[in-house]
Short mmCIF file of all heavy atoms in Angstrom, two decimals:
data_model
loop_
_atom_site.label_atom_id
_atom_site.label_comp_id
_atom_site.label_asym_id
_atom_site.label_seq_id
_atom_site.Cartn_x
_atom_site.Cartn_y
_atom_site.Cartn_z
N PRO A 439 17.67 -13.57 -57.90
CA PRO A 439 17.16 -14.85 -57.37
C PRO A 439 18.24 -15.60 -56.59
O PRO A 439 19.43 -15.53 -56.90
CB PRO A 439 16.77 -15.61 -58.64
CG PRO A 439 16.59 -14.56 -59.69
CD PRO A 439 17.59 -13.50 -59.37
N SER A 440 17.80 -16.37 -55.58
CA SER A 440 18.76 -17.11 -54.77
C SER A 440 18.42 -18.59 -54.63
O SER A 440 19.29 -19.40 -54.31
CB SER A 440 18.86 -16.50 -53.36
OG SER A 440 17.59 -16.49 -52.73
N GLY A 441 17.16 -18.99 -54.85
CA GLY A 441 16.77 -20.39 -54.70
C GLY A 441 17.19 -21.22 -55.88
O GLY A 441 17.48 -20.71 -56.97
N PRO A 442 17.24 -22.55 -55.74
CA PRO A 442 17.63 -23.42 -56.86
C PRO A 442 16.61 -23.37 -57.99
O PRO A 442 15.41 -23.25 -57.75
CB PRO A 442 17.70 -24.81 -56.22
CG PRO A 442 16.85 -24.72 -54.99
CD PRO A 442 16.96 -23.32 -54.51
N GLY A 443 17.10 -23.49 -59.21
CA GLY A 443 16.22 -23.41 -60.38
C GLY A 443 15.60 -22.03 -60.47
O GLY A 443 16.26 -21.02 -60.31
N TRP A 444 14.30 -22.01 -60.74
CA TRP A 444 13.60 -20.72 -60.76
C TRP A 444 13.32 -20.22 -59.36
O TRP A 444 12.96 -19.06 -59.17
CB TRP A 444 12.29 -20.83 -61.53
CG TRP A 444 12.43 -21.22 -62.96
CD1 TRP A 444 11.84 -22.26 -63.61
CD2 TRP A 444 13.23 -20.55 -63.97
NE1 TRP A 444 12.21 -22.29 -64.94
CE2 TRP A 444 13.07 -21.26 -65.18
CE3 TRP A 444 14.08 -19.44 -63.95
CZ2 TRP A 444 13.71 -20.89 -66.35
CZ3 TRP A 444 14.73 -19.06 -65.11
CH2 TRP A 444 14.54 -19.78 -66.29
N GLY A 445 13.42 -21.11 -58.36
CA GLY A 445 13.19 -20.70 -56.98
C GLY A 445 11.72 -20.60 -56.60
O GLY A 445 11.39 -19.97 -55.60
N VAL A 446 10.84 -21.23 -57.38
CA VAL A 446 9.40 -21.18 -57.11
C VAL A 446 8.81 -22.58 -57.26
O VAL A 446 9.42 -23.46 -57.86
CB VAL A 446 8.66 -20.19 -58.04
CG1 VAL A 446 9.22 -18.78 -57.86
CG2 VAL A 446 8.76 -20.63 -59.49
N GLU A 447 7.58 -22.75 -56.74
CA GLU A 447 6.85 -24.00 -56.86
C GLU A 447 5.44 -23.71 -57.37
O GLU A 447 4.89 -22.63 -57.13
CB GLU A 447 6.75 -24.72 -55.51
CG GLU A 447 8.08 -25.07 -54.88
CD GLU A 447 8.84 -26.17 -55.61
OE1 GLU A 447 8.20 -26.87 -56.44
OE2 GLU A 447 10.05 -26.32 -55.37
N LEU A 448 4.87 -24.67 -58.07
CA LEU A 448 3.50 -24.52 -58.55
C LEU A 448 2.53 -24.60 -57.38
O LEU A 448 2.73 -25.36 -56.43
CB LEU A 448 3.16 -25.60 -59.58
CG LEU A 448 3.94 -25.58 -60.89
CD1 LEU A 448 3.46 -26.71 -61.80
CD2 LEU A 448 3.80 -24.24 -61.59
N GLU A 449 1.45 -23.83 -57.46
CA GLU A 449 0.40 -23.88 -56.46
C GLU A 449 -0.47 -25.12 -56.69
O GLU A 449 -0.86 -25.40 -57.82
CB GLU A 449 -0.47 -22.62 -56.53
CG GLU A 449 0.25 -21.34 -56.14
CD GLU A 449 0.49 -21.24 -54.64
OE1 GLU A 449 0.02 -22.13 -53.88
OE2 GLU A 449 1.17 -20.29 -54.21
N PRO A 450 -0.78 -25.87 -55.63
CA PRO A 450 -1.62 -27.06 -55.80
C PRO A 450 -2.96 -26.76 -56.46
O PRO A 450 -3.47 -27.58 -57.24
CB PRO A 450 -1.82 -27.54 -54.36
CG PRO A 450 -0.63 -27.03 -53.62
CD PRO A 450 -0.32 -25.71 -54.25
N GLY A 451 -3.53 -25.59 -56.20
CA GLY A 451 -4.81 -25.23 -56.80
C GLY A 451 -4.73 -25.09 -58.31
O GLY A 451 -5.68 -25.43 -59.03
N PHE A 452 -3.60 -24.60 -58.79
CA PHE A 452 -3.41 -24.49 -60.24
C PHE A 452 -3.36 -25.88 -60.87
O PHE A 452 -4.01 -26.14 -61.89
CB PHE A 452 -2.14 -23.72 -60.57
CG PHE A 452 -1.80 -23.72 -62.03
CD1 PHE A 452 -2.41 -22.83 -62.90
CD2 PHE A 452 -0.89 -24.64 -62.55
CE1 PHE A 452 -2.12 -22.84 -64.25
CE2 PHE A 452 -0.60 -24.66 -63.91
CZ PHE A 452 -1.21 -23.76 -64.76
N ILE A 453 -2.59 -26.78 -60.26
CA ILE A 453 -2.46 -28.13 -60.80
C ILE A 453 -3.82 -28.83 -60.81
O ILE A 453 -4.19 -29.50 -61.78
CB ILE A 453 -1.44 -28.93 -59.96
CG1 ILE A 453 -0.05 -28.29 -60.08
CG2 ILE A 453 -1.39 -30.38 -60.40
CD1 ILE A 453 0.99 -28.90 -59.17
N ALA A 454 -4.59 -28.65 -59.74
CA ALA A 454 -5.89 -29.32 -59.64
C ALA A 454 -6.87 -28.81 -60.69
O ALA A 454 -7.72 -29.59 -61.17
CB ALA A 454 -6.46 -29.12 -58.24
#
Side-chain angles (χ1 to χ4, degrees):
S440 58
W444 299 125
V446 300
E447 300 291 344
L448 295 181
E449 293 286 355
F452 173 82
I453 296 173

